[in-house]
Amino acid sequence: MPTRFGLLIAIAILRALGPERASNLAGTVAAAIGRHLGASRIADRNLALALPDLTPAARRRVITEVWRNLGRNVGELPHLAALKRSTHGPGWELVGEENLPQGQAIFFSAHCHNWEMILPIAAQLGLAVSGAYRRASNPAVEEVIQNLRLAAHGNHVTMFPKGAAGARAAIAHLARGGSLGLLVDQKMNDGIAVPFFGRMAMTATAPAQFALRFNLPLVPIRIERIGPARLRLVCEPPLAVPRTGDRAADIRAITTALNARVEAWVRADPGSWLWLHRRWPKPECPSAPA
């Protein structure tokens, strides 16, 4: 288990390398080691379920890219605060700026490429967007990561821990006129089962509930990786979703639409997504209805 001192030494080394070399080094190391770890077996099973046409060799290539991207994210984490909007080199660019809402919104995304840049970019654009996060099990890791995030997006962006207390804080933030940025692609046992890659997957309903409660648009955003420490934020038009007044039906329809949007992103670039977590139930569970 890493200690705080060990993590700080690693961060200092990555900082000294600069964003591009840190991204390349960490990506190379993760790609070499990751395929031997148990999480790669989870990824292989997920890929076989979701994309059955992929050969075993193709699945191995995707998994290698998943680890390489995850390593790049780690290498870039100490540099998030230094990555600014630019036309070339380390930094980020924006596509779909015309789709950014003038007022409040629920922005939703997924664990694609370097998702950690979503809130720093929003902060640089002057958007009052806060987000939710899952606490790391290791307190030393949790402290270090949160400090790096705070340095990247500043004090005016709040990170709400997942859970009941975090949900109440997010509701208060929305009531004050703020926006939320949420990652919607992880398994949530207290969510609802809706289709994802043709199989039922437990999915969080919070984005749909927040959007309905505050009558806010749901705006799809995603990060694309152009190169080492070079990223692109893509903002799409707000999702067209039903608001019939039947709350339960609307929550299910919206949550289904969110999964469909994320699925389209992942199908377009399978190696960009974090296949390493247990997104679906065991194979004996029923597939999604046609």
Side-chain angles (χ1 to χ4, degrees):
M1 183 174 290
T3 64
R4 184 176 184 276
F5 179 73
L7 289 169
L8 293 176
I9 291 295
I11 289 169
I13 293 170
L14 291 171
R15 279 203 174 110
L17 287 171
E20 291 178 298
R21 287 198 296 167
S23 178
N24 286 334
L25 175 62
T28 299
V29 171
I33 296 174
R35 65 175 181 267
H36 302 295
L37 302 181
S40 289
R41 291 192 291 273
I42 297 172
D44 189 69
R45 173 183 169 272
N46 285 340
L47 282 161
L49 289 173
L51 299 172
D53 292 338
L54 289 181
T55 65
R59 295 200 302 269
R60 287 193 295 270
R61 288 193 294 271
V62 170
I63 292 168
T64 297
E65 285 309 303
V66 170
W67 282 109
R68 190 186 313 279
N69 180 70
L70 186 58
R72 286 189 182 280
N73 288 0
V74 172
E76 291 162 3
L77 192 58
H79 301 281
L80 293 185
L83 297 181
K84 306 297 184 182
R85 191 172 188 176
S86 62
T87 58
H88 61 279
W92 58 271
E93 59 192 61
L94 175 61
V95 171
E97 189 165 5
E98 69 279 4
N99 297 320
L100 290 173
Q102 296 299 310
Q104 279 182 276
I106 305 296
F107 297 92
F108 72 91
S109 192
H111 290 82
C112 293
H113 287 136
N114 194 341
W115 60 88
E116 289 284 354
M117 271 302 294
I118 293 173
L119 288 181
I121 290 174
Q124 290 184 41
L125 291 171
L127 302 175
V129 182
S130 292
Y133 73 99
R134 190 187 302 274
R135 284 194 177 98
S137 57
N138 183 326
V141 173
E142 172 69 11
E143 179 189 359
V144 170
I145 290 177
Q146 290 306 320
N147 285 339
L148 290 172
R149 286 170 173 162
L150 179 62
H153 51 58
N155 290 318
H156 67 287
V157 173
T158 304
M159 296 290 289
F160 306 113
K162 289 188 176 180
R168 290 192 295 271
I171 289 170
H173 172 74
L174 290 170
R176 292 192 297 268
S179 296
L180 283 180
L182 302 172
L183 299 172
V184 300
D185 56 333
Q186 288 191 316
K187 180 181 179 183
M188 293 292 289
N189 290 328
D190 58 351
I192 60 174
V194 292
F196 188 52
F197 281 90
R199 302 186 67 86
M200 301 305 284
M202 295 300 291
T203 305
T205 59
Q209 293 184 53
F210 291 151
L212 291 171
R213 178 169 179 171
F214 292 94
N215 192 29
L216 297 177
L218 285 149
V219 181
I221 57 172
R222 69 184 189 278
I223 295 287
E224 293 180 346
R225 180 177 295 286
I226 305 170
R230 181 74 196 162
L231 305 160
R232 175 187 295 126
L233 177 70
V234 178
C235 182
E236 301 178 0
L239 206 64
V241 292
R243 301 184 190 229
T244 66
D246 183 334
R247 186 171 181 274
D250 287 352
I251 287 174
R252 180 168 295 276
I254 291 170
T255 306
T256 299
L258 297 186
N259 269 8
R261 196 74 210 100
V262 173
E263 180 179 328
W265 297 340
V266 178
R267 284 187 181 276
D269 187 2
S272 72
W273 190 57
L274 197 66
W275 292 93
L276 305 175
H277 64 289
R278 300 182 187 276
R279 186 65 185 91
W280 290 273
K282 294 180 179 179
E284 62 266 26
C285 293
S287 298

